Amino acid sequence: MHGLFRKKDIDTLLNQSTPLKRSLTAKDLTLLGIGAIIGTGIFVLTGKGALTAGPALSISFLIAAICCGFAGLCYAEFASMAPISGSAYTYSFIAFGELIAFIIGWDLILEYALAAATVAVGWSGYFVNILANIGIKVPTALTAAAGTTPGVHTIFNLPAFLIVLIITWVISLGINETKRLNSIMVFIKLGVILLFILFTVWSVKVANWKPFNPFGWYSIHNGTAAGIIPAASIVFFSFIGFDSVSSSAEETINPSKNLPRGILFSLIISTILYIIMTLIMTGVVKYPVFAKYLNAPVLAVLAQTGQTWLAAVVSLGAVVGMTTVILVMLYGQSRISYSMARDGLFPKVFSKVDQKHQTPYVVTWFFGIITALAAGFINLNILSELVNIGTLSAFILVAAGIMLMRYTQPKAKRGFKAPLVPFTPIMSILFCFMLIAGLNWETWVRFFIWLVLGLIVYFGYSRRHSVLNK
């Protein structure tokens, strides 16, 4: 057991130099968070969520947001204490020690890779549709991985593969290029969302909200879980990514102040937009209609209001929106992997930083290529729930870490303090367990297998090569 729980010292971390370039402000971090959060939730998951909870989907979004809000307060405090790259991985290293930190880092790498690959597949569907509308047909065999759609011959998802590689290239160019592209695309998708709200809110019919909560909090409907809680477990995926803001600590100006602001502002703005969009969509269209528009629920609203001219604009917004999600996921993944390599838990080659662009280019390209191959070749429908359980596990550890650090290091400098501790972290943990309970048992089995593989890597390589072991 010796050395398994050796910890990092906060003062040592704060005094170490970083080869990465500091240029991110609170505004940049807020846009980075919005870039990660708003995308799949609005343009894809609202349809499935509405069929699961009816108009009460707005409450499901609120519950998922509250869960993330409690977790966000805990992340914000840790980020102000230890403004170092690595997000929950670094925080766990400080609070619990090396083994727990490795497990959560290993977990987050899977989370970000699967999230980026899953969103890339959704991006591909919208992009192929846009090309078809202008007369360019992508061969069906190159639009999805083999076995994705029963009865349809597919081999490889070429658009998903290419978009991941293109974004990986942008990230490798430097943080300024990454934030500039993200900011432009975030403003475009926010403009599209506001345009949609402006032209559809007048078509809302109160009658479509009745019954508001047709399936209750939790029930079994047609053999599957339905209601507000199961829908919250589904749309939780929509909020994944705000935690990646904290992985940019070493590239942030005045991180102890700006990181908490970026995390919390992005959560608040995104939650407000999610609830408004959900109420409008279920108010314009009776929720069972979304069964015909499962992959593009926004189009159901446009068809109902007769504003089909907006469809092209919304499709563009969906493509842009999901592009920013992929960008932030790949960015967060590269920074966590870089931190683990710098600590010796991954091969040192992954910690190499390009002198010109000041980015960890080796690890960026390594995991970027792996994610691109996953998006292109693997049927991700069965794996996407792993993203949720991985993120919720990270949230639980960060919340527990806040309580532990308040006890073990009460005098540590904190630029931001989570309110009402221990109430806030306890509520974060309880909400996370509630959402985990909504996941199926197959997800638990796959998650366990991934953790076992991680332990093999840790005891076979990482423990011996750890910087703390020298």
Side-chain angles (χ1 to χ4, degrees), residues 299-323:
L299 299 183
V301 179
L302 298 179
Q304 180 70 26
T305 59
Q307 293 165 332
T308 52
W309 63 272
L310 258 180
V313 178
V314 169
S315 294
L316 175 63
V319 167
V320 171
M322 287 189 273
T323 300

Side-chain angles (χ1 to χ4, degrees), residues 252-452:
T252 299
I253 300 168
N254 192 9
S256 64
K257 297 291 184 183
N258 288 330
L259 279 173
R261 291 170 182 167
I263 291 170
L264 298 176
F265 288 168
S266 61
L267 264 177
I268 292 169
I269 293 170
S270 300
T271 300
I272 291 171
L273 287 176
Y274 273 142
I275 292 174
I276 291 174
M277 284 287 289
T278 302
L279 288 172
I280 289 176
M281 291 174 67
T282 54
V284 173
V285 178
K286 199 71 175 174
Y287 73 89
V289 176
F290 287 111
K292 301 176 183 177
Y293 298 87
L294 205 53
N295 294 322
V298 175
L299 299 183
V301 179
L302 298 179
Q304 180 70 26
T305 59
Q307 293 165 332
T308 52
W309 63 272
L310 258 180
V313 178
V314 169
S315 294
L316 175 63
V319 167
V320 171
M322 287 189 273
T323 300
T324 62
V325 176
I326 301 168
L327 177 111
V328 179
M329 294 297 173
L330 291 176
Y331 168 76
Q333 183 195 56
S334 68
R335 293 333 186 239
I336 290 174
S337 304
Y338 161 75
S339 296
M340 295 180 73
R342 186 172 58 182
D343 294 335
L345 303 184
F346 282 168
K348 275 293 180 185
V349 66
F350 287 160
S351 66
K352 282 189 175 182
V353 175
D354 181 83
Q355 296 303 310
K356 179 181 177 182
H357 299 113
Q358 295 179 286
T359 56
Y361 67 101
V362 175
V363 76
T364 298
W365 276 107
F366 178 81
F367 284 107
I369 290 171
I370 289 177
T371 304
L373 291 171
F377 283 107
I378 299 176
N379 178 3
L380 294 167
N381 293 333
I382 60 173
L383 298 177
S384 58
E385 280 197 2
L386 272 174
V387 178
N388 289 5
I389 194 171
T391 305
L392 290 165
S393 300
F395 286 2
I396 289 170
L397 279 177
V398 170
I402 285 297
M403 291 190 288
L404 182 64
M405 292 298 287
R406 286 286 186 96
Y407 177 74
T408 59
Q409 299 191 41
K411 296 183 180 180
K413 185 179 179 181
R414 292 167 169 85
F416 173 88
K417 293 184 74 171
L420 302 176
V421 174
F423 175 78
T424 295
I426 288 174
M427 290 303 296
S428 176
I429 292 170
L430 291 177
F431 269 92
C432 287
F433 276 122
M434 179 179 69
L435 294 180
I436 285 176
L439 302 174
N440 60 52
W441 67 268
E442 292 93 342
T443 300
W444 278 97
V445 172
R446 296 180 188 116
F447 185 60
F448 178 75
I449 292 172
W450 178 252
L451 290 183
V452 170

Side-chain angles (χ1 to χ4, degrees), residues 98-396:
E98 185 175 278
L99 177 60
I100 303 300
F102 177 87
I103 290 173
I104 207 63
W106 181 258
D107 168 28
L108 288 173
I109 287 170
L110 177 70
E111 172 203 330
Y112 287 136
L114 283 180
T118 301
V119 176
V121 170
W123 181 96
S124 173
Y126 271 97
F127 184 69
V128 168
N129 184 56
I130 289 175
L131 292 181
N133 288 337
I134 60 175
I136 301 174
K137 181 171 174 57
V138 179
T140 303
L142 299 179
T143 59
T148 299
T149 306
V152 179
H153 176 63
T154 52
I155 302 172
F156 177 64
N157 197 326
L158 180 61
F161 175 80
L162 291 178
I163 189 60
V164 173
L165 289 184
I166 291 170
I167 292 175
T168 299
W169 171 69
V170 171
I171 294 172
S172 71
L173 290 179
I175 188 59
N176 282 333
E177 288 73 13
T178 301
K179 75 173 184 180
R180 193 175 297 122
L181 178 62
N182 178 73
S183 298
I184 292 171
M185 291 192 292
V186 165
F187 283 121
I188 291 174
K189 73 175 173 182
L190 288 179
V192 170
I193 290 170
L194 292 175
L195 192 67
F196 175 86
I197 292 172
L198 182 65
F199 280 93
T200 58
V201 68
W202 315 107
S203 300
V204 169
K205 296 178 181 178
V206 176
N208 288 332
W209 287 334
K210 298 177 182 178
F212 186 75
N213 185 15
F215 306 113
W217 288 94
Y218 189 98
S219 62
I220 302 298
H221 182 71
N222 293 331
T224 60
I228 291 173
I229 299 302
S233 296
I234 292 171
V235 300
F236 176 78
F237 186 92
S238 309
F239 290 94
I240 289 174
F242 82 85
D243 54 316
S244 64
V245 172
S246 61
S247 67
S248 63
E250 291 180 39
E251 292 157 292
T252 299
I253 300 168
N254 192 9
S256 64
K257 297 291 184 183
N258 288 330
L259 279 173
R261 291 170 182 167
I263 291 170
L264 298 176
F265 288 168
S266 61
L267 264 177
I268 292 169
I269 293 170
S270 300
T271 300
I272 291 171
L273 287 176
Y274 273 142
I275 292 174
I276 291 174
M277 284 287 289
T278 302
L279 288 172
I280 289 176
M281 291 174 67
T282 54
V284 173
V285 178
K286 199 71 175 174
Y287 73 89
V289 176
F290 287 111
K292 301 176 183 177
Y293 298 87
L294 205 53
N295 294 322
V298 175
L299 299 183
V301 179
L302 298 179
Q304 180 70 26
T305 59
Q307 293 165 332
T308 52
W309 63 272
L310 258 180
V313 178
V314 169
S315 294
L316 175 63
V319 167
V320 171
M322 287 189 273
T323 300
T324 62
V325 176
I326 301 168
L327 177 111
V328 179
M329 294 297 173
L330 291 176
Y331 168 76
Q333 183 195 56
S334 68
R335 293 333 186 239
I336 290 174
S337 304
Y338 161 75
S339 296
M340 295 180 73
R342 186 172 58 182
D343 294 335
L345 303 184
F346 282 168
K348 275 293 180 185
V349 66
F350 287 160
S351 66
K352 282 189 175 182
V353 175
D354 181 83
Q355 296 303 310
K356 179 181 177 182
H357 299 113
Q358 295 179 286
T359 56
Y361 67 101
V362 175
V363 76
T364 298
W365 276 107
F366 178 81
F367 284 107
I369 290 171
I370 289 177
T371 304
L373 291 171
F377 283 107
I378 299 176
N379 178 3
L380 294 167
N381 293 333
I382 60 173
L383 298 177
S384 58
E385 280 197 2
L386 272 174
V387 178
N388 289 5
I389 194 171
T391 305
L392 290 165
S393 300
F395 286 2
I396 289 170

